[in-house]
Every structure is written in C-alpha cells, then in structure tokens.
Amino acid sequence: MTATPARRRYVNDKPAQAVLLAGSLLFMTVGLLLPLGELAVKCLTDANGAYVGPDNFIRFFSAASLARALYHSLYVSLMSTLAALPPAFLFAYSLTRTTIPGKAFFRHIAMLPLFAPTMLLGVSLVYLFGRKGIVTSGLFGALPWLGIDIGLYGSTGIIIAEAILVFPPSVMILLTALANSDARLYEAAESLGANKPEIFWSVTLPGVKYGVTSAAFVCFTLVFTDFGVPKVVGGNYGVLATDIYKQVVGQQNFNLGATISVVMLLPTLLAFIADNWLRRRQEGVVNSRSIPLVPKRNATRDLACFAFCLCASSVILAVFLTALFASLANLWPYRLTPTLRHYNFRDYAGGGYLAFWNSVRMAGYSALLGTAMTFGSAYLVEKTRKFAWARRTVYCLSLAPLALPGLVVGLAYIFLFNSAVFSVAGREIPNPLSRLYGTMLLLVVCNVVHFYTVGFLTASAALRQLDREFEAAAESLSVPFYATFRRVTLPLCLPAVIDIAGYFFVSSMATVSAVIFLYTPDLQLASVAVVNMDDAGDSAPAAAMSILIVAANIMAKAVFELASRRARKAAERWRNR
Amino acid sequence: MTAAPEKGNGGGAFPGRRAETPDRGLCVRGVCKSFDRTPVLTNVSLQVAPGEFVCVLGPSGCGKTTLLRVVAGLETPDSGSVLIGGGDVTRIPTAGRGVGIVFQSYALFPNLTALQNVAFGLRRRETGASSIRQKALELLDLVGLAESAQKYPGQLSGGQQQRVALARALAPEPSILLLDEPLSALDAKVRQSLRKEIRRLQRRLGITAVMVTHDQEEALTMSDRMVVMHKGRLTQFASPEEIYRLPSTRFVADFIGAMNFLEGWRAEGAIARYGGIDIRLPAPLGADGSVVTLAIRPEDVQIGRDLFPDENAFVATVAEMEFRGAGYYLTLKALTALKALTDGGKGGMRLEALLSPLRASQLKIGAGDCVKVRLPRERLICFAEDGTAVGFAGGGPE
C-alpha cells in the first residue's frame, strides 16, 4: 500500500456558494420584498404618510366608480377566458391528436400575439371595428352591406382583444397537457368497446383536466391584470388596471393607486394558489413507462380541424396585417396610398427611434441579467447541498413574481425607488436606492423580477434532468463547483439557457405595464410611446411603433431559435455514434 | 487484516491534519445521522484495513448508502468521526478527502469524451496537458477501453461506461475507493465480468475499497470482509465465510442465503429438546431451560434411506420436491414423537433440504417418501429469543 495522504489540495466551495446565495437573496430582497413592503405601507397610509388602517380600502369600495371597475375587471376576465379556451383547446387538439399538415406553421402563427405589446391588439381592432374601421365602414363603403358597428369601445372590444391575447399561452399549456398522453389508456378503452365520444369524455378530457384549469387560471390572471388593451379600446369602461394608471399618473394619488393594486393582487394570488394546489393533485398521471399516443388518420376530423386552424390563424394574421396596413396608410381612411411617414416619429410624442433603441437595449440587458439570475439561482437551489434554509428561501421567492401583475410591480418600484427618504418610526432616513430611479438598470431589474418565475422554472426543469450525482462526482475529484458548472452543467443546459434569454428579451421588449411608471423623459421606451401616441390620437404611428416592436421580437426570436437549434444539435452529437 | 475495531489508537489526535499513525485505511467511529429526526445511522463504527475490500450489504433503507455518503463527505454526520489514512476528515469537504466514488448511475459527464471524463479530476493536480492526456490514456488502457477514448458516454455500453467511471474515480489516485451499487444497473453477464475486473484493479493498485450493494452474491464473492447492516445499525462485520457460517443474529442468518429456523427448543447444556427429539449442539448454551431457535442451512441437512449411525437424526416425510437446476429442494415434515407434540403451534416441524442431483438419484427419492434426516452438530446455529446467536464454540460476535 502506498502511503497516499488522505488529504488533497482543494478549493473549499462553501464560501463562494454562500456569497452567491447571499447575492441571489439580496437581489430578491431589493427587487421584490422591499418594493412590496413599500406598497403595503402606501395602501395603509395617507398622502402625508400617516397610518390610516383600512381607510383606503373603505374609500375604494364606497366610491361607486372604483367598485364598478372591480366588477368590470372580473367580468371581462371571465368572458375572455370563456371565449379563448374552447378555440385554444381545439387548436391544441388539432396540433397534437390529428394528422393535419402545416402543424409547425400553425404553431408559430398562434404564438404571434406574444411578440406584440398588448396595445397593438387594441389599435388593430380599432382599425377593424372602430368608427372608421374597415368592417364598420363596409370596407370603406365598397361593401355597404358589411357595415356593422359592433360597439367596439367598452367590454366588447376588451373581450375580443383579450381573447386573442390569451390565445397563445392557453394553446401552449394545452399543447403540453395533450402531448402527455398514454396510448395504453386509449387501447384499453377501445378494447373495452368504448366509442369515440366516450373515449373523449372518459380518457382525453380527464387526462388534460389540469391543463384546462391551469390555462383558465392563466387567462383569467392575464386579462385581469392587463393594461394595454383596456387603455386603447376600453373607452369609458373603467377596469382596475386603467384606474390604477389614472389614479397614479393622472391624479398623483399614490395611496389609492396602491390600494387598487392590492385589490387587483388578491384574485391573482388566489388563482396562483389554486393552480398550485391543483397541480400537486394532478401529478403522476403519465410516468416513464407511458407510451406516447401517435394520432391516426381520420379524414373527416382532420379536415374539420385543418379548416379550424386555418380560420384561427387567419384571425391572428388579420389583426397583425391590419396594424401593418394602418401603419403604412397615408391618411386613414381617406387616402390609403402606402407611405412610410408614420415610421418617422419626429412629430409625435413618445421619443421615436430613441425610445425604440432604448427598448432594444433594455430587452438585451434584461435577457442577460434575467438569464444569469434565474439560471444561477436555479443552479444554487437544485445543485448545491449546503445552506438548505437559504436555498428554500430563494426557491419560494422565485415563485412569487408569477403571482404579481406588472402594474403592481411597477407601482411598488416607483414607491421604493422614487422616494428620497424613508420615514421609519417618525424619523426620516435617506434612501440610498433612490439613486437607481430613472436609470436603465432599474428598468432592467424591474423586467427581470417581473418575468423571473418562468425563467427560473425553465432552468429548474432543465437542471433536474441532469444526473443528481454529477456534482458529487466532481467534488470527489476535487474539482471546484464553478469549474463543473462551466464545463458540464452549462453546456448541457445550453438549449434551456437560450430559451430563457429569448423569453426575457421578447417579454421585456413588449411589456408596458411594469415600465409605464418607471420611464423618465430622458429614458423613453417604445411600448410606452405606443400608449402615449395612442393617447394623443396618433393611431397610425402607434401602430407603426407596435409593428417595429413585433419586427424586433420576430428577428430576435429567430436568432435565439437558431442558436437553440444549434445547441440541441450539439447535444445530439454526444448521444449518437 | 485487523478484526477488532474501536481501539482508537490516536488516529484522530490531530484533527484536520494528517496524523502519522499505523492506523491507515478507513476508520468510522460512532457515526450517527438522522434525516428529519428519523435515525438513519445509529452508532456505526468500523475499521477497514489498508488495501482491504469491504462490502456493505443490507436491505433497502438500512442506511448503507448514507454510510457511504458520510465517508465520502457528501453527508455530515450528527455525531461520530471519519478517519481516512489516519487523519480525521469529519470536518473536511469531499473535495479534500481524496476519495474516488463510482455511482450506480455512472454519473459520467455526457458532453465530455471518455478521455475528457477520466482527465476531469487531473486538471489541477498535474501540470502540462500532455501529461494529463498520457495519464488518462493509461487509465483507460487499464480498464481496457483505450480505443474508445474519443467516444462520448452515450456511445458506450453500460458496462463500458461503468469502466470509464472507475477509471475516472481512480485517476487522481484516491486513498480510498467508494462504490455505490456500481453493478446494479447492468445485465447479469456484464455484472459478473465487472466484479472480477473491479477486484483485479483494486488488488493491483492496493487501494482500500468500500462497496455498497444489496446483492448478497456480489458481497459474498467480492469482499475480503463484509458488513451487514440492519435498521441503521452495523449488525455483523466479518469475512464472507464467517457471516455465512456463523451469522451473529437471526436477521443476518435470514438475510444471507437460505436458512431453516426450528423454533421452540428447550436448551439443557449442549442439548436442545423438542418433542422427544434430542439434538446435540456444537457447544453448551449458557442458560439451561431457556427456549432457543435452531438454524441450519438447507445444504447442510443430510438425507438418507437408512438410520444414520449417528446422533441428531430423525424420520421425516418428503412433503414436496422441487427441481431447481443445481439440485432438488425437499420440504420435509418431521414424524414420530414430534407429531404428537405439535400443541397447536406451527403444525409440526418443517424444514428444507438441498439435495444434489447425484445424491437424489442414488437415494431414488420422490414426494411422499419416508426418509431419515440428520442435522450435523457442527453445522447447527442457535439463536436466543432476542435473535442473537448463542453457544458458538469460538465465541459469538459482539
């Protein structure tokens, strides 16, 4: 036996991991906990900072217009959810359980609304169904019999636009639910003599039950908290989101704004909790021994499904093409000759191309910081063994942003970062965080926190697929954790990392709700410019700016998709001879 | 090989520092560990001599993998200490312990070639890329995979992957090798050959090795000594022959191999009585009049047509006869006085015997036959009512 020493030279991982975990906790504290704390303080105090208890809430519910706004919000959320779910289900069903051609095309078209600021849907609907809209005017008088006024402004317009808006996330959730099927269940049902409708009710639907409820909760929450659509087509139909904006930006009533945002937060939180509770009950329907279902050809069904997908895609395309058409038309509806003059934003409010490039930069930085924070945190939570309590805390904090509407995040940020002093127990202390106000960094942090959970969960799922013993194996070889991370973990998770970056870019580019309170005249943003131009009645440049945002997102998405595909190809090389 | 643990001759006198003592190899002292207040390891101590191959065997949930992870530093014990090469490493993280680990899942990095995997732990230790490459190639050669150096793990068979994992674990010259069920994911044939290969390498490098397994055949064939664990405690630590021949508790006897347990015998000196049958024991039991259980392996039960000229014989009928390839399993029912005295207990004395095909054809035995059965005195084991073995000639285990 050689006298090998028991000890080996090594780098102790513990201090570095402690620092990283502390960094992650600090980020979530400053970016999430402190702003929410300020929000809670604001809704319990008056404009002078005196504690008033539930007075603000009493004021909210006794003001008829505000209470009505709550009812309106609930109503349009429910109706849009009901309007969006059946077509979304049929669409997802067609893409997973039939043999129709062009599935990839349909899938991409369905995702289009995700790339746009939500105002685009409103602007486009105005051009279709508004007072001078294509449909309302009977194709500009060419087809007078078509000229119907659907009374767009108000709940009708909101519900139509929101139904299109929530179509992509519902389709995505239902696609996942329908893809996780077990062919053995269908074979068993058939061998027991069940007919097609019976199989649908007894096997298909129960299998996607959770997907449907989850999609419903997501739809409801998205509509309930959306600001862009009601801002454009709501007219006098006030909802909570526009009321918050009015209170804060119009009347500078921060305390009431905070109160409304807490009222808005409650149903969202309930939906979030209910969804998580259902998810836990649903686990384990499909296991590793399941055999995926391969759809069989059925001419009648496939034809019907194909026709439906074509219709749904046409609606989405029509909305986008209308916006494009409107942005190019010289003087709607009188002179429709094409011009690029609306793309020259010099004469309009909002900041023009400066704002556009600011948005691109912000989206790029958000993609960088967001990916680093979410993947890094997920790595620490999933793959390190020390500091169990800290990792648990990071995990819980990472899930919270999913329940937070963008308006609430933005409002909480302005409360925390725009006040020069904190008053603690009657004493005033200077707020060091106020220096961040009006900086690009704050906008980026706001976006990262707003979209944190989806990135974190994607990273977690990718990391969980890796062998749990990789880290132990590397440790026993005296390789420090960061070297293993760089050489093994990161390369193996590269496709997921690229997906996360793409998600952060596209979401940050299109978002308006969180950043509308945070932009300053020196740092304008494209999506905010859309709101401001539309507010000023400049619909055509608003449409033009929306189109630019969509174009930037499509290009960015294409780049990310290409990179992701290359990364996946590299992974295939490791598996095949 | 040292047999007696718990001597503690100063191996841990200089915590955190390599102590110069003859106490090399691995030493685990009084380790306790619980998860969420459920004890997983209770006061586990063992000493593995340098160059020794020890298997830890037990049913699932007995704490064997936790013990290995404590030795590796992947779990911190609640109390007790771990010494490697004479130095206390209880507070030292895995990276500083100099342990090589081979996992059930291989845990090879799928994005690195076999060569890169083996070289993974060599980066910092040696300087010069060419010498690292040289060493990694040598190790791959050692496990017979030099020609697969540039392949990715996904392109190798399970057995090949585990050999790469073995080479990777051995590359930084660890002072002990820990194997966590390394063969259980493999086919029977591959498992057989890899058993030999692991032992060959371990002997050749003279490395101390601890392997966790739930496969008793693996433990019996590979170990110098083996540990049997039960409910978080170390039940027996001895050579495979001793564990098979002289199990220290009823649990060990039952867990390893097949065993007949004959209940309810009254001990009187070196004789056990049950319903008129007197069985002579290998050694006198301490307490006269106490109730003991006799145990004997099926292959140790002797069968004959005539009365044996010896003691410990009685008559039985063959209730069942089952062919099992290597031999016949007979289920025997004892007759004579026993039958009268089965006072509602277990319905008479049943025992199983393993008969070689040759002997079976010599005796021309079939189901329903009456045969003479003999329980050779030196092959009998006695268990007291608390399940511990009693009355060994050479003294029982702790």
Side-chain angles (χ1 to χ4, degrees):
Chain A
M1 177 74 194
T2 49
T4 322
R7 305 275 312 276
R8 206 187 264 173
R9 283 166 53 89
Y10 69 100
V11 179
N12 194 349
D13 288 347
K14 218 172 152 182
Q17 287 177 356
V19 168
L20 288 174
L21 267 172
S24 180
L25 281 173
L26 182 72
F27 180 84
M28 290 315 263
T29 306
V30 173
L32 183 72
L33 291 181
L34 288 180
L36 286 183
E38 266 304 290
L39 185 76
V41 169
K42 275 284 186 301
C43 73
L44 295 174
T45 54
D46 65 14
N48 300 319
Y51 177 77
V52 293
D55 273 12
N56 288 325
F57 290 93
I58 294 168
R59 244 194 327 146
F60 172 87
F61 283 105
S62 49
S65 65
L66 293 178
R68 204 180 322 122
L70 174 61
Y71 168 74
H72 285 169
S73 281
L74 289 171
Y75 174 74
V76 293
S77 306
L78 195 67
M79 294 313 284
S80 312
T81 304
L82 290 177
L85 273 189
F89 185 87
L90 198 52
F91 199 86
Y93 183 88
S94 307
L95 294 191
T96 47
R97 303 287 176 90
T98 69
T99 58
I100 59 167
K103 283 181 181 173
F105 170 77
F106 288 138
R107 192 185 296 243
H108 280 104
I109 294 296
M111 296 304 132
L112 211 50
L114 288 180
F115 293 170
T118 56
M119 290 77 64
L120 180 139
L121 296 164
V123 170
S124 180
L125 283 190
V126 169
Y127 279 112
L128 282 168
F129 299 107
R131 283 178 200 109
K132 289 177 262 175
I134 299 177
V135 176
T136 320
S137 65
L139 201 61
F140 311 113
L143 303 166
W145 53 268
L146 188 73
I148 357 161
D149 190 348
I150 61 164
L152 178 75
Y153 297 96
S155 57
T156 318
I158 297 177
I159 292 169
I160 297 175
E162 299 285 15
I164 297 171
L165 180 76
V166 296
F167 189 70
S170 340
V171 167
M172 265 202 283
I173 293 169
L174 293 169
L175 276 178
T176 321
L178 283 161
N180 284 335
S181 62
D182 192 344
R184 297 175 304 171
L185 283 176
Y186 289 85
E187 282 162 14
E190 266 171 49
S191 70
L192 291 169
N195 59 26
K196 289 265 150 61
E198 276 170 3
I199 291 178
F200 183 82
W201 287 109
S202 61
V203 182
T204 309
L205 267 191
V208 297
K209 206 169 44 187
Y210 163 67
V212 173
T213 53
S214 190
F217 282 127
V218 167
C219 287
F220 184 90
T221 308
L222 279 175
V223 180
F224 194 74
T225 60
D226 181 47
F227 164 75
V229 166
K231 182 84 187 63
V232 177
V233 293
N236 295 325
Y237 193 84
V239 294
L240 287 181
T242 47
D243 270 9
I244 294 176
Y245 182 72
K246 245 186 268 168
Q247 292 296 337
V248 173
V249 174
Q251 305 175 12
Q252 298 284 305
N253 191 341
F254 293 118
N255 302 93
L256 201 56
T259 308
I260 304 173
S261 72
V262 170
V263 172
M264 184 170 172
L265 189 54
L266 287 178
T268 317
L269 272 178
L270 277 179
F272 176 74
I273 290 164
D275 191 23
N276 271 313
W277 182 72
L278 279 173
R279 191 196 309 256
R280 216 162 296 148
R281 292 178 36 139
Q282 182 77 13
E283 264 165 26
V285 174
V286 172
N287 54 39
S288 56
R289 273 175 301 160
S290 299
I291 301 155
L293 184 73
V294 178
K296 289 192 204 97
R297 183 172 289 281
N298 174 336
T300 331
R301 179 199 64 191
D302 288 4
L303 192 67
C305 285
F306 184 73
F308 170 76
C309 286
L310 218 53
C311 287
S313 305
S314 308
V315 169
I316 293 169
L317 273 180
V319 168
F320 279 84
L321 289 177
T322 304
L324 180 66
F325 178 54
S327 75
L328 293 171
N330 203 328
L331 189 62
W332 188 282
Y334 311 108
R335 226 169 337 125
L336 297 174
T337 48
T339 170
L340 281 175
R341 73 183 181 92
H342 301 303
Y343 284 84
N344 178 1
F345 301 104
R346 227 173 298 147
D347 307 328
Y348 307 110
Y353 281 101
L354 216 55
F356 176 74
W357 289 115
N358 278 342
S359 277
V360 172
R361 266 168 55 221
M362 180 185 78
Y365 295 146
S366 300
L368 279 178
L369 185 69
T371 310
M373 285 309 303
T374 53
F375 192 79
S377 298
Y379 172 82
L380 291 171
V381 168
E382 297 291 337
K383 297 293 177 184
T384 63
R385 289 179 290 113
K386 307 281 180 207
F387 313 108
W389 61 269
R391 289 188 292 124
R392 189 169 291 259
T393 312
V394 168
Y395 180 78
C396 291
L397 287 176
S398 302
L399 294 189
L402 195 61
L404 296 180
L407 275 183
V408 174
V409 176
L411 207 53
Y413 268 51
I414 165 168
F415 292 153
L416 178 67
F417 294 97
N418 194 23
S419 57
V421 287
F422 279 132
S423 49
V424 178
R427 248 185 297 168
E428 301 209 319
I429 49 169
N431 176 7
L433 296 172
S434 66
R435 275 192 213 168
L436 286 174
Y437 186 73
T439 62
M440 177 61 94
L441 180 62
L442 187 65
L443 289 172
V444 170
V445 169
C446 179
N447 279 326
V448 169
V449 170
H450 184 190
F451 302 115
Y452 201 85
T453 308
V454 173
F456 180 85
L457 290 178
T458 310
S460 277
L463 286 164
R464 276 182 198 171
Q465 283 184 350
L466 303 186
D467 192 321
R468 291 192 318 171
E469 309 288 13
F470 281 168
E471 277 66 31
E475 263 180 80
S476 72
L477 295 167
S478 309
V479 175
F481 77 98
Y482 48 81
T484 313
F485 178 84
R486 185 175 55 78
R487 291 196 62 208
V488 178
T489 319
L490 194 57
L492 288 176
C493 291
L494 201 57
V497 168
I498 295 168
D499 288 350
I500 295 170
Y503 167 77
F504 270 106
F505 187 96
V506 169
S507 308
S508 307
M509 191 75 204
T511 190
V512 66
S513 56
V515 294
I516 194 151
F517 297 124
L518 294 177
Y519 81 98
T520 58
D522 300 329
L523 193 61
Q524 309 219 52
L525 296 170
S527 58
V528 181
V530 174
V531 173
N532 288 337
M533 288 189 283
D534 180 73
D535 240 2
D538 300 321
S539 306
M545 187 61 94
S546 303
I547 290 293
L548 280 185
I549 294 173
V550 174
N553 268 343
I554 289 177
M555 275 200 287
K557 192 71 190 170
V559 171
F560 283 115
E561 193 86 357
L562 224 64
S564 173
R565 210 165 285 176
R566 282 186 63 167
R568 278 173 225 274
K569 209 164 241 172
E572 248 161 59
R573 192 167 53 98
W574 304 326
R575 275 188 279 274
N576 302 326
R577 266 160 230 268
Chain B
M1 271 170 244
T2 48
E6 296 292 75
K7 282 276 156 60
N9 50 4
F14 310 100
R17 194 181 267 227
R18 202 184 125 219
E20 289 300 333
T21 66
D23 213 2
R24 294 309 182 80
L26 168 70
C27 180
V28 175
R29 285 182 185 161
V31 162
C32 296
K33 173 82 186 170
S34 6
F35 291 119
D36 296 329
R37 299 209 193 99
T38 313
V40 180
L41 293 176
T42 311
N43 198 19
V44 173
S45 298
L46 83 158
Q47 177 132 21
V48 181
E52 195 178 10
F53 195 103
V54 168
C55 282
V56 181
L57 180 70
S60 57
C62 72
K64 54 191 193 298
T65 293
T66 307
L67 175 63
L68 196 83
R69 290 178 72 87
V70 165
V71 171
L74 297 170
E75 301 288 353
T76 315
D78 300 336
S79 61
S81 54
V82 176
L83 285 78
I84 294 175
D88 190 332
V89 295
T90 318
R91 302 270 147 238
I92 293 176
T94 308
R97 292 196 180 191
V99 293
I101 313 179
V102 177
F103 298 92
Q104 179 178 359
S105 64
Y106 325 133
L108 288 177
F109 307 126
N111 60 325
L112 304 180
T113 61
L115 188 71
Q116 287 169 326
N117 263 288
V118 176
F120 197 78
L122 294 173
R123 303 246 133 200
R124 285 173 355 93
R125 295 175 54 79
E126 283 166 55
T127 45
S130 64
S131 76
I132 287 173
R133 197 188 144 80
Q134 197 54 44
K135 172 124 202 228
L137 272 173
E138 273 169 31
L139 278 152
L140 275 177
D141 195 36
L142 203 62
V143 295
L145 284 172
E147 75 284 358
S148 300
Q150 297 307 327
K151 283 190 179 167
Y152 290 101
Q155 301 164 345
L156 300 171
S157 71
Q160 288 173 324
Q161 287 190 56
Q162 198 56 298
R163 273 145 71 191
V164 174
L166 189 62
R168 181 180 68 176
L170 291 170
E173 294 170 12
S175 44
I176 55 171
L177 180 65
L178 304 174
L179 305 116
D180 187 4
E181 309 219 10
L183 306 175
S184 56
L186 300 169
D187 308 341
K189 275 266 154 59
V190 182
R191 212 181 304 168
Q192 295 274 3
S193 72
L194 217 57
R195 271 184 202 166
K196 294 206 182 88
E197 181 138 3
I198 290 174
R199 271 302 274 182
R200 178 180 66 82
L201 273 172
Q202 181 266 340
R203 284 212 182 89
R204 181 165 159 188
L205 301 172
I207 189 172
T208 314
V210 177
M211 179 169 112
V212 159
T213 178
H214 65 264
D215 181 337
Q216 46 171 299
E217 194 186 313
E218 212 165 279
L220 290 169
T221 52
M222 289 178 78
S223 317
D224 291 320
R225 283 190 300 164
M226 58 191 269
V227 172
V228 180
M229 286 186 69
H230 182 43
K231 290 184 180 164
R233 290 172 190 276
L234 192 153
T235 310
Q236 193 172 6
F237 183 25
S239 69
E241 294 88 345
E242 187 177 337
I243 289 207
Y244 192 79
R245 260 295 288 133
L246 302 170
S248 68
T249 67
R250 219 185 133 140
F251 167 77
V252 176
D254 196 21
F255 185 66
I256 310 247
M259 183 70 90
N260 289 300
F261 291 102
L262 312 174
E263 318 266 352
W265 296 71
R266 198 156 291 278
E268 270 169 44
I271 294 177
R273 293 211 159 90
Y274 179 88
I277 295 185
D278 287 5
I279 297 287
R280 289 190 170 272
L281 303 174
L285 301 181
D288 274 4
S290 62
V291 177
V292 295
T293 300
L294 297 187
I296 189 161
R297 302 253 175 225
E299 66 267 30
D300 290 335
V301 176
Q302 292 183 340
I303 307 282
R305 279 289 185 189
D306 310 308
L307 265 178
F308 292 105
D310 207 342
E311 65 208 353
N312 290 2
F314 51 87
V315 182
T317 52
V318 178
E320 281 170 42
M321 187 161 166
E322 194 178 274
F323 179 57
R324 293 240 189 119
Y328 290 89
Y329 252 78
L330 306 186
T331 305
L332 303 163
K333 251 183 172 166
L335 291 176
T336 65
L338 279 173
K339 205 175 179 183
L341 280 162
T342 48
D343 41 78
K346 312 249 160 159
M349 187 170 74
R350 281 172 162 269
L351 75 161
E352 294 199 323
L354 178 64
L355 209 57
S356 74
L358 179 68
R359 185 93 179 110
S361 69
Q362 282 172 350
L363 293 170
K364 293 192 179 65
I365 281 181
D369 287 6
C370 217
V371 291
K372 310 292 182 295
V373 178
R374 178 176 172 258
L375 309 180
R377 172 176 169 174
E378 66 281 4
R379 290 282 160 186
L380 278 166
I381 308 158
C382 296
F383 294 105
E385 273 180 300
D386 65 354
T388 55
V390 284
F392 282 127
E398 322 101 313

